[in-house]
Every structure is written in structure tokens, then in C-alpha cells.
Amino acid sequence: SIFMEQFEIIPCNILDSYLNTNINTIKNNLWEMIKEITFNFNVGVMEKYIEIAKELLYDSYSKVNLYIVHCLDFLAKIAQFESDFHFADKQFLQVLIRLIIQFPNCSFLINEIFYLIKCLIDNNKTVESVLTNMVPFFCHISTMPEITSASSNCHKILNYITNIMQSNTSIKEILS
């Protein structure tokens, strides 16, 4: 579209001017816009938002705000493009684990976290880090007696990993 062609050329100054706001409504709309305008062809322009999204996720929260979910969706889009931006380090994965533990029944957050995890598993550059650091956690949560959105999604992602292991020998090697 014309908007996307112009966005690729015009700096993101308008978005940048609102990044440090403390008004959740603005943050919600800003991060929804950032995730919606992220495409394979402009991932280089969007690179600067990766660290900002990660920093937002690293903060402590007593409740889930929508912008957190949009940040996760933005990072999932980046992971789908198999770009050179490797953000699935151990610290980042620990943040995802913290959010899962802290909000196990917040289904819209949990679903987005597991969507991101699935995208990271499907990305050749991040699969090893995710499997190595998260499969033990998935196994632990999936065997908990209380049924939560988190435990259900752990079952689902373990089934996904099991299914792709049959056709992907590198995943078998990582997990063995």
C-alpha cells in the first residue's frame, strides 16, 4: 500500500515521540500500530523497537496491560521473518517464564506468549535456545495438578514439538 511505501522512507519520528509515555491508552495504541506496520520488507526500520519491546517486558507488572501483548505479537512477527535480530537469549526466555508463572490464567497474554514461543521454535536461529531453556519448564508446568491457561498451552507446545521432531532431525538432536 502507499502508506507502507511511505513508512519505509519516512523516519518513525511520530511513533518515537510517544514511546516514553506513561499513559497506558497511548502505549496500547502505539504498540498495536507498531505490530501492525511490521512486515518483512521493513523489518530493518523496525529493528530499534525490538530492544524497546524487550525492555517493556523486563519491567515488573501487577496487572497485564494490552501493550505488553502487542509487544509480544510484534516480537513474534520479527521471529517469523527469520531476521538477523536474535533476541531469544536466556534472559529474555526467563522473562517469558516469569510472565507465565505470574499470570497463568491471563489467557490473552498466555496465548500470545506461546504464539511467540512457537514462532521462535520455527525460526532456525532461535530454536535451540528456546528448546534448551524452556522444555524443562513446559514439562514441569504441564504436570501441575491445577489446570490453567499456562498448563494447557504447555501441553499444546510440547505436542507441537513432538510432532515437528518427527520430521526435523535437528530438533531431535537438540533435545537428546
Side-chain angles (χ1 to χ4, degrees), residues 9-166:
I9 298 167
I10 298 172
C12 305
N13 292 339
I14 295 170
L15 296 177
D16 294 351
S17 65
Y18 291 102
L19 283 172
N20 294 321
T21 184
N22 290 325
I23 303 170
N24 284 340
T25 305
I26 293 174
K27 279 185 179 179
N28 293 342
N29 292 323
L30 175 71
W31 282 99
E32 182 178 21
M33 181 185 298
I34 289 170
K35 77 167 176 129
E36 292 298 330
I37 61 174
T38 301
F39 295 95
N40 198 19
F41 70 85
N42 71 342
V43 75
V45 174
M46 305 309 283
E47 173 184 7
K48 65 181 168 184
Y49 298 111
I50 295 170
E51 287 303 316
I52 297 167
K54 285 174 58 176
E55 287 174 23
L56 284 172
L57 294 173
Y58 290 169
D59 286 345
S60 295
Y61 296 98
S62 58
K63 67 177 189 165
V64 176
N65 291 301
L66 189 56
Y67 66 86
I68 298 169
V69 176
H70 291 315
C71 286
L72 291 164
D73 196 23
F74 163 72
L75 293 172
K77 283 181 111 174
I78 297 294
Q80 286 176 331
F81 301 141
E82 291 200 43
S83 64
D84 291 331
F85 311 123
H86 179 70
F87 57 85
D89 56 25
K90 189 172 184 170
Q91 181 184 6
F92 177 74
L93 298 174
Q94 290 297 320
V95 168
L96 297 182
I97 289 171
R98 177 183 51 85
L99 290 170
I100 292 167
I101 291 169
Q102 187 176 0
F103 303 106
N105 279 315
C106 184
S107 58
F108 71 97
L109 173 71
I110 296 297
N111 288 338
E112 200 60 52
I113 289 171
F114 279 90
Y115 175 67
L116 171 58
I117 291 167
K118 181 189 174 296
C119 292
L120 293 170
I121 290 170
D122 290 341
N123 183 317
N124 292 330
K125 296 177 182 170
T126 56
V127 63
E128 184 172 359
S129 177
V130 173
L131 295 179
T132 303
N133 291 296
M134 298 197 82
V135 167
F137 172 75
F138 298 150
C139 292
H140 174 72
I141 295 297
S142 68
T143 59
M144 300 290 284
E146 183 181 359
I147 297 174
T148 63
S149 181
S151 65
S152 297
N153 274 278
C154 283
H155 278 288
K156 186 176 174 181
I157 201 78
L158 287 170
N159 285 335
Y160 178 74
I161 292 167
T162 302
N163 288 336
I164 61 172
M165 263 179 49
Q166 296 170 7

